[in-house]
Amino acid sequence: MIENMGKGRTWVLSGPESSYALHLTDADELVHLHWGARITAADAEALAAQGPPPYWPFESQLDGREEYPVEGGPRFARPALSVRTEDVRGTEWVFDGWVAEDDELRLRFTDALAGLGLTLHYRMRDDSDVIERWVTVVHEGTGPALELLRADAAAWTLPMRDAWRLSQLHGRWAAESRLVRSALTYGEKIIGSRRGHTGHQHLPWVALDAEGATEERGEVYGCALGWSGSWRISVQQLPDKAVQITGGAGHDDSGLLRLEPGQTYTSPVFAGLWSDGGFGGASRAWHAWQLAHVIPGAQEARPVLYNSWEATGFDISEQQQLALARRAAGIGVELFVVDDAWFGRRTSDRAGLGDWTPNPDRFPDGLAPLAREVHGLGMRFGIWVEPEMVNADSDLYRAHPDWVQHHPGRVRTEFRNQLVLNLAREDVRDHLWEQLDALLSSAPVDYVKWDFNRCFTDAGWPGEPYPQKLWTCHVEGFYALLDRLRAAHPGVAFESCSGGGGRIDLGVLGRTDQVWTSDNTDPLDRLAVQHGFSQLHPARVMAAWVTDSPNVQLNGRRSSLRFRFVSAMAGVLGVGGDLTGWSEAELAEARDWVRLYKEIRPVVQHGELYRLRAPEGGLSAVQYVRGGETVVLALLEAQRYGERPPALRLRGIDPAAAYECLDTGVVHQGGVLLHHGLHTGLKGDLDATVIRLRRM
Ligand code: GLA
């Protein structure tokens, strides 16, 4: 809901629980009034009447108050917008009108000297407290190009509080999305990626709380960016303690792109959410919003998949994949995915990327025969691709060495023996479209795992003037290609992968069905990765595989099938072990776990998620609630002193109802589950259990 008042210069956007208010002063300064619990029109007018803080020389009366701080004028805080032409620096805007259309508010400003038109967009939907913000910048003049050095999607202003705490999700390869919390202090905290993709190092999300929010209580502010290229989020605490968060595409202020007259830049969305339900309440609100408005086809359940990567690496063949497929079908897998090495001369990571036709030695009649066999076994068929990359040893690179990102005369850095194609180029995108469209038409493919296995290093485009649009347009080119493929092949589902979780953000989630969370498939390490992931994203997109024990990929840790399955059942279950090496007993046990997963899947993938215990405590537990159904996944790292692990106090339970445990038949009282908890019976090392309760 959008309300307008105060002689038409104050706006209040409201969702189910929260409001957001802004005001335009007589001097056309757009100031922030409120973000938090719902307020009335009278509250907003009273806030607008308060006016600026006292004047002090050496301090700005605008810093920390503006909806979209620009460069120039009496401001010293980090600007969200920085533009220049040959002779103009900074921005001085005048207000040029507003529109409210459905759930979107647009405020338009112009700067005639620079030839700039700027629109701030706000969207708050009726069913969510998430506010989506973005900007469009247009070169409306006829003069020289406008250099867009920085155009953040939004600046978020927090209310004045004594002390803020910052939560972030940091990581690296095989150790993504781990949650850390620290006090926010004066100055600026910057997270981001200078790598051309979202990166393993941070999920583009921050959360701030001021009064010691807990999992279930307290005010939490969160901001998340929807962009799969380089990005930056800056959290500033100004000298008067005001906190402002800016975020957008690009890693520093040195240049996003050039706008020629008539051209427009549209920033990604930087979404914000206020919740007073603690970190858990905030997560559930983020999840609900993504399931309703971001993830395509989110109401459909994701199938149990098998992926051959850890089992077979680069050494694959049709017969070997078929043998795996038979075993996968036998344990109840619903989607069989052939990973790397089915194409070109891809027998190691040294060759073949770029040549997206089946390797004739390995798949003499293409992929269709295997796909049909897989379908015959009752499963869907999927393949791995990495379209944005090329090995120097490939037909594509030999034909088009100039198609990769590079600076003339400089080294073309290789990571994993590969170079990055320049998807900002139309000819490159057209070529990839033809290749991928032909591939998806050549065999009945139902699923594509789209990988991205190195960062940008030499991101140059010879002949293009600076600031070069490559960084931005590569990502837009990737989105456009994906969108076009989805439109042409509506039955195909896509997974976003980047060496595990290197490309997970709200931008890619708007056009993929699930993500590969991490290359780390160790079921214990995975708990912390999943705990962090769930802060922002729902279980419905979080792929997790059961692989071999000892763990092949990373650490050699031994764990039971039970522990591995319960850990992976927290998201979209997959299996990635070498099934040809599993005994009949192991296969039979796996079949039972997959059957159980299918029973709890509606609750896990579409229920509300409650983190009952974080992994660090030794006992980790997550609960899902959907209607009267509840599922608890509990995993014990190590029992100490023979003591019984703590009982799990459940959430989302009706205190007045009784709940039946579907496995034991024991009846539990809701009030007891909420206030005293449920004993799991876990003991020893690496033990795990699934508890299913139904309201009676
Ligand atoms: C990346 C992915 C893996 C696998 C390999 C194949 O590392 O994260 O799952 O697909 O590439 O080369």
Side-chain angles (χ1 to χ4, degrees):
M1 179 176 67
I2 303 170
E3 294 166 278
N4 175 244
M5 67 225 41
K7 296 194 217 105
R9 290 170 80 95
T10 300
W11 296 267
V12 181
L13 293 91
S14 296
E17 311 280 339
S18 66
S19 296
Y20 189 96
L22 53 152
H23 171 70
L24 191 67
T25 69
D26 292 338
D28 279 3
E29 300 148 341
L30 186 64
V31 294
H32 175 78
L33 299 180
H34 172 82
W35 184 22
R38 273 190 88 128
I39 56 168
T40 62
D43 296 334
E45 299 215 48
L47 286 165
Q50 284 182 355
Y55 165 79
W56 291 101
F58 297 104
E59 296 300 341
S60 161
Q61 285 182 299
L62 293 175
D63 281 354
R65 295 173 60 226
E66 287 186 290
E67 276 295 292
Y68 196 68
V70 297
E71 185 181 28
R75 304 174 174 91
F76 311 108
R78 179 176 282 282
L81 182 73
S82 173
V83 295
R84 69 176 178 211
T85 68
E86 268 164 28
D87 14 72
V88 179
R89 294 281 181 282
T91 302
E92 268 181 32
W93 73 35
V94 291
F95 182 56
D96 188 40
W98 65 280
V99 190
E101 224 169 41
D102 302 330
D103 46 15
E104 187 187 330
L105 171 66
R106 290 194 288 274
L107 302 173
R108 202 181 116 79
F109 302 86
T110 57
D111 177 346
L113 192 63
L116 174 98
L118 172 75
T119 304
L120 308 186
H121 302 252
Y122 297 79
R123 179 190 284 143
M124 197 167 191
R125 304 172 193 263
D126 287 347
D127 62 351
S128 173
D129 286 295
V130 172
I131 305 165
E132 297 158 48
R133 290 185 58 187
W134 70 101
V135 300
T136 44
V137 185
V138 191
H139 187 335
E140 292 178 343
T142 48
L146 207 66
E147 291 186 18
L148 210 53
L149 303 181
R150 184 88 206 157
D152 278 326
W156 297 97
T157 306
L158 304 188
M160 289 301 253
R161 298 282 188 266
D162 285 341
W164 287 99
R165 182 168 61 156
L166 173 73
S167 301
Q168 59 184 110
L169 296 167
H170 80 106
R172 56 178 175 73
W173 176 76
E176 296 88 335
S177 60
R178 285 167 302 147
L179 179 66
V180 280
R181 299 212 155 103
S182 53
L184 189 70
T185 53
Y186 291 101
E188 206 175 349
K189 171 82 179 179
I190 290 183
I191 61 169
S193 157
R194 303 166 162 274
R195 299 160 184 263
H197 64 135
T198 324
H200 301 82
Q201 291 68 26
H202 306 275
L203 283 197
W205 167 87
V206 289
L208 287 116
D209 70 292
E211 274 136 12
T214 64
E215 196 53 30
E216 297 305 326
R217 260 179 294 281
E219 283 192 307
V220 176
Y221 289 83
C223 302
L225 195 63
W227 183 241
S228 310
S230 287
W231 57 277
R232 183 180 74 196
I233 294 177
S234 152
V235 185
Q236 285 185 91
Q237 187 167 39
L238 299 167
D240 66 354
K241 276 199 173 158
V243 173
Q244 209 162 48
I245 304 158
T246 55
H251 48 256
D252 40 47
D253 302 326
S254 59
L256 214 50
L257 42 79
R258 283 163 70 86
L259 287 179
E260 302 295 340
Q263 289 184 331
T264 302
Y265 169 73
T266 302
S267 78
V269 166
F270 195 22
L273 168 75
W274 170 87
S275 164
D276 73 348
F279 294 103
S283 297
R284 288 185 287 281
W286 278 121
H287 297 173
W289 170 71
Q290 287 167 74
L291 291 172
H293 304 294
V294 178
I295 300 153
Q299 63 291 346
E300 285 160 36
R302 293 302 311 149
V304 177
L305 73 71
Y306 177 82
N307 178 294
S308 61
W309 173 244
E310 285 201 22
T312 56
F314 291 102
D315 188 12
I316 76 168
S317 72
E318 189 176 318
Q319 283 314 311
Q320 162 225 52
Q321 293 291 312
L322 192 53
L324 284 167
R326 291 201 178 100
R327 293 213 153 192
I331 63 170
V333 164
E334 298 160 310
L335 162 64
F336 182 83
V337 184
V338 178
D339 207 276
D340 204 341
W342 57 266
F343 54 91
R345 278 182 292 280
R346 184 79 168 167
T347 51
S348 74
D349 64 14
R350 307 200 70 81
L353 284 178
D355 302 336
W356 300 108
T357 45
N359 177 324
D361 301 330
R362 296 179 164 189
F363 297 91
D365 300 309
L367 291 170
L370 177 61
R372 280 193 214 107
E373 293 274 9
V374 166
H375 284 172
L377 290 165
M379 297 183 292
R380 295 180 226 180
F381 178 72
I383 49 165
W384 178 96
V385 293
E386 196 182 359
E388 294 149 276
M389 302 290 168
V390 68
N391 286 113
D393 184 359
S394 67
D395 294 342
L396 181 65
Y397 188 70
R398 279 183 284 273
H400 298 286
D402 53 329
W403 277 9
V404 298
Q405 305 179 353
H406 68 286
H407 296 291
R410 299 284 189 208
V411 171
R412 297 180 179 201
T413 309
E414 294 190 12
F415 273 118
R416 214 189 187 213
N417 307 301
Q418 63 197 58
L419 298 153
V420 191
L421 290 170
N422 179 1
L423 263 71
R425 292 178 60 132
E426 204 181 339
D427 48 3
V428 172
R429 289 198 305 274
D430 286 348
H431 170 83
L432 290 177
W433 155 257
E434 279 161 26
Q435 296 281 298
L436 295 169
D437 179 52
L439 174 64
L440 296 184
S441 309
S442 73
V445 174
D446 308 297
Y447 184 83
V448 172
K449 173 179 175 183
W450 185 304
D451 213 333
F452 183 93
N453 271 316
R454 59 156 291 177
C455 312
F456 291 11
T457 49
D458 320 298
W461 186 356
E464 274 292 306
Y466 287 85
Q468 291 193 331
K469 58 185 180 188
L470 181 152
W471 292 87
T472 306
C473 293
H474 179 105
V475 181
E476 288 172 351
F478 158 62
Y479 286 166
L481 189 55
L482 205 47
D483 292 346
R484 194 171 170 194
L485 285 164
R486 287 191 78 99
H489 302 274
V492 180
F494 286 82
E495 174 177 273
S496 172
C497 174
S498 173
R503 189 149 68 184
I504 300 174
D505 58 79
L506 296 171
V508 87
L509 276 170
R511 33 182 64 86
T512 44
D513 298 82
Q514 62 185 62
V515 297
W516 181 221
T517 318
S518 176
D519 274 345
N520 186 338
T521 60
D522 172 73
L524 183 63
D525 285 356
R526 208 42 196 236
L527 299 178
V529 172
Q530 297 179 169
H531 179 77
F533 185 95
S534 74
Q535 301 292 322
L536 179 61
H537 300 303
R540 162 65 177 65
V541 296
M542 186 182 79
W545 306 343
V546 172
T547 54
D548 290 335
S549 171
N551 184 270
V552 179
Q553 184 81 2
L554 218 65
N555 57 20
R557 181 177 282 126
R558 286 173 194 281
S559 56
S560 63
L561 263 186
R562 161 180 285 274
F563 193 82
R564 281 175 275 154
F565 264 101
V566 178
S567 172
M569 283 158 88
V572 180
L573 176 67
V575 178
D578 183 0
L579 294 182
T580 56
W582 288 23
S583 67
E584 283 306 323
E586 285 172 318
L587 291 170
E589 185 182 341
R591 191 177 310 128
D592 290 342
W593 286 115
V594 171
R595 188 182 306 126
L596 175 61
Y597 178 74
K598 288 176 183 169
E599 283 174 32
I600 65 172
R601 172 163 55 191
V603 186
V604 171
Q605 292 192 6
H606 290 100
E608 299 208 299
L609 182 150
Y610 294 83
R611 291 177 294 262
L612 301 182
R613 294 184 68 96
E616 305 89 69
L619 174 65
S620 171
V622 55
Q623 180 194 355
Y624 308 81
V625 179
R626 195 176 193 220
E629 306 274 331
T630 281
V631 172
V632 178
L633 306 179
L635 300 101
L636 178 69
E637 182 175 350
Q639 187 184 21
R640 308 299 303 273
Y641 317 110
E643 286 172 358
R644 186 159 74 153
L648 297 173
R649 287 181 62 189
L650 302 195
R651 300 283 168 234
I653 289 278
D654 178 356
Y659 288 80
E660 184 189 2
C661 176
L662 298 187
D663 301 291
T664 60
V666 173
V667 174
H668 299 272
Q669 296 305 315
V672 176
L673 292 172
L674 282 168
H675 299 290
H676 299 276
L678 180 70
H679 281 286
T680 56
L682 296 176
K683 54 183 188 307
D685 290 344
L686 299 186
D687 195 9
T689 188
V690 178
I691 301 164
R692 293 180 294 161
L693 302 175
R694 180 171 295 152
R695 189 169 53 210
M696 297 175 74

